[in-house]
Amino acid sequence: MGAKQWSSDWMRAALGLCVLRTLVAGPTYGYAIAAALEENGFGTIKGGTLYPLLTRYEVAGWIAVDWRVGAGGPERKYLSLTNTGRDELATQTAHWRDFTGTVLAHLDNTPTSGTALTMGTDKS
């Protein structure tokens, strides 16, 4: 059975948040982040998608970089979440929960405000 293929639009929306969440476990490197996401059902994350995202997060101050000697190989770039990154993760997680709650309420036809949603056609 192959891995589930998610919509690229959905992945684009969720990937950054999920990368930050993956870094909560501690310092790691890009390939291991991609592998962890794949193990958790996100499918294959290509380097051309992941590494520019990590660079943006480094520039934003959300992740810190530490070069470490690899086991019998070249140095490897380890990434860790900064305090600013932890704050950003908390903020984005709260926003994501609000957003997905709104989407689910809409899909389930459950009013989220004083306006009721109606099904069917308007026969005015």
Side-chain angles (χ1 to χ4, degrees), residues 17 36 44 65 75 101 115:
L17 176 59
T44 302
V65 171
E75 286 188 320
T115 304

Side-chain angles (χ1 to χ4, degrees), residues 11-36:
M11 287 300 296
R12 200 171 12 263
L15 184 62
L17 176 59
C18 294
V19 165
L20 290 176
R21 176 60 183 92
T22 301
L23 287 167
V24 167
T28 190
Y29 49 96
Y31 179 81
I33 293 169

